[in-house]
Amino acid sequence: QARADTWNAALRCRLLGDTGAQVALGCPGWLFYRDGLRPQPGAGSTVFAQRIRLMQHWSQQLKAQGVQLLVVAVPDKSRIEQAHSCGLRYSAPMRERYGMWQGALAEAAVPYVDLLPVLQAGEVPVFFNTDVHMNRIGAQRAADAVAARALPLLGGPGGQAFEQGPLSAPKPRMGDLIVLAGLEHAPPAWRPALDQEPEQEITPLRGGGLLDETPPVEVLLLGSSNGRRSLFGERLGNALGREVWNQSMDGGQFSGALLAAWPQRQQWPPSLKLVIWEFSEMALSLPLTDGEQAALADID
């Protein structure tokens, strides 16, 4: 059955340009996540207003604890790589929420990072062709922009040095959109070509002694899968001069990682100064999760 499903997906992709209900085919070799193009049912203006309430509440709670908050919404791939979408239609109201969200953050005096101009600059792609995430170029640009906004909140750069290893030769990378389209096991000629991406290591430098003190934890990253791809956390730590406590979560959507960490916040290290809350733009147009509904009920 699995083999039959793979060949069915391959035939639909090759002959009909159909990549299934979750994946949209753009220009040759480019795949896009449909949730980034149109909102899901049950995610209208009321849901957006409720997410603003959650943001206001969580920022106030962190401030009362003496911890600063920096919010990072990663613009959707379909917006940044629109030149490669070959006319895929998108929801204008969904796109407008990015600016509305930043307006709500400014009104609440919550620091945030606008990654739109950062990722739109230049001609090279900053997202993978067959994956929803930023590639190494996009991740580096985003990390540098987040660090530039975070450093004043931290009182300047830290003293932790990092070693950046050399780039390896490009290697094929299985994109999550290939998997969602059911083409992971399809013959290469029957699916879009895989991205070719070099590998690299970015590691903090240690003294090597048994009695070396571990640097105090000052930065906590509560993000989505963006925080776990393309060495984003490591690139951010290198730019900050501090190791980042990365608690990002695959499938975290709007607030999954934050909600998972929230019950333990009284046990966070007293040295913690800054929480960086990251999520994808499209998460603003998803229905409320059970955890978010429970958090709203607690506020009420």
Side-chain angles (χ1 to χ4, degrees):
Q1 183 61 52
R3 189 178 299 112
D5 290 343
T6 294
W7 273 107
N8 181 47
L11 286 167
R12 285 189 290 105
C13 176
R14 178 73 176 272
L15 302 179
L16 304 176
D18 179 8
T19 45
Q22 294 179 284
V23 181
L25 188 63
C27 297
W30 282 85
L31 299 177
F32 294 86
Y33 194 30
R34 290 194 187 276
D35 280 352
L37 295 164
R38 44 97 179 106
Q40 290 189 11
S45 57
T46 301
V47 169
F48 182 71
Q50 290 171 324
R51 288 205 161 101
I52 291 176
R53 286 187 64 206
L54 287 171
M55 174 271 293
Q56 294 169 339
H57 173 73
W58 288 331
S59 64
Q60 291 166 1
Q61 292 292 304
L62 288 173
K63 185 176 181 180
Q65 192 174 335
V67 178
Q68 300 184 85
L69 176 65
L70 178 62
V71 182
V72 183
V74 178
D76 190 70
K77 172 183 174 180
S78 64
R79 181 199 289 268
I80 301 300
E81 305 293 356
Q82 189 166 337
H84 303 290
S85 69
C86 280
L88 287 176
R89 300 183 65 180
Y90 61 86
S91 165
M94 183 176 175
R95 289 274 175 94
E96 291 169 0
R97 286 178 187 165
Y98 183 86
M100 295 167 61
W101 174 255
Q102 293 186 152
L105 289 167
E107 185 176 349
V110 175
Y112 67 91
V113 181
D114 182 5
L115 290 180
L116 259 182
V118 174
L119 296 178
Q120 286 177 332
E123 301 296 328
V124 297
V126 293
F127 282 81
F128 292 111
N129 291 33
T130 62
D131 196 291
V132 298
H133 299 101
M134 295 177 287
N135 60 24
R136 61 184 176 84
I137 298 173
Q140 187 65 63
R141 289 189 192 175
D144 289 343
V146 174
R149 186 67 181 89
L151 283 173
L153 303 176
L154 293 166
Q160 176 64 58
F162 286 75
E163 179 180 8
Q164 296 193 62
L167 292 174
S168 71
K171 298 180 180 181
R173 182 184 185 279
M174 179 61 67
D176 56 9
L177 295 175
I178 291 277
V179 177
L180 278 177
L183 298 169
E184 180 179 6
H185 302 294
W190 289 79
R191 68 185 183 198
L194 300 184
D195 288 279
Q196 300 290 321
E197 182 81 351
E199 295 180 351
Q200 187 181 26
E201 290 188 0
I202 301 176
T203 55
L205 290 174
R206 304 292 189 202
L210 295 176
L211 300 179
D212 283 352
E213 291 187 6
T214 303
V217 176
E218 295 184 322
V219 181
L220 171 59
L221 175 60
L222 298 175
S224 65
S225 53
N226 290 300
R228 297 171 55 85
R229 300 291 183 274
S230 300
L231 298 176
F232 176 79
E234 291 82 354
R235 297 179 194 278
L236 178 59
N238 184 40
L240 292 173
R242 296 170 172 86
E243 283 192 67
V244 172
W245 184 18
N246 191 351
Q247 295 295 301
S248 299
M249 177 187 296
D250 286 346
Q253 298 185 6
F254 176 69
S255 60
L258 192 149
L259 286 172
W262 198 250
Q264 287 80 42
R265 69 186 186 279
Q266 298 304 326
Q267 285 74 50
W268 288 349
S271 57
L272 186 67
K273 297 179 179 179
L274 178 66
V275 167
I276 299 176
W277 173 22
E278 174 274 318
F279 54 86
S280 295
E281 172 189 0
M282 69 178 180
L284 294 170
S285 298
L286 294 175
L288 293 172
T289 64
D290 291 342
E292 290 163 4
Q293 292 177 5
L296 285 165
D298 286 341
I299 295 173
D300 293 335

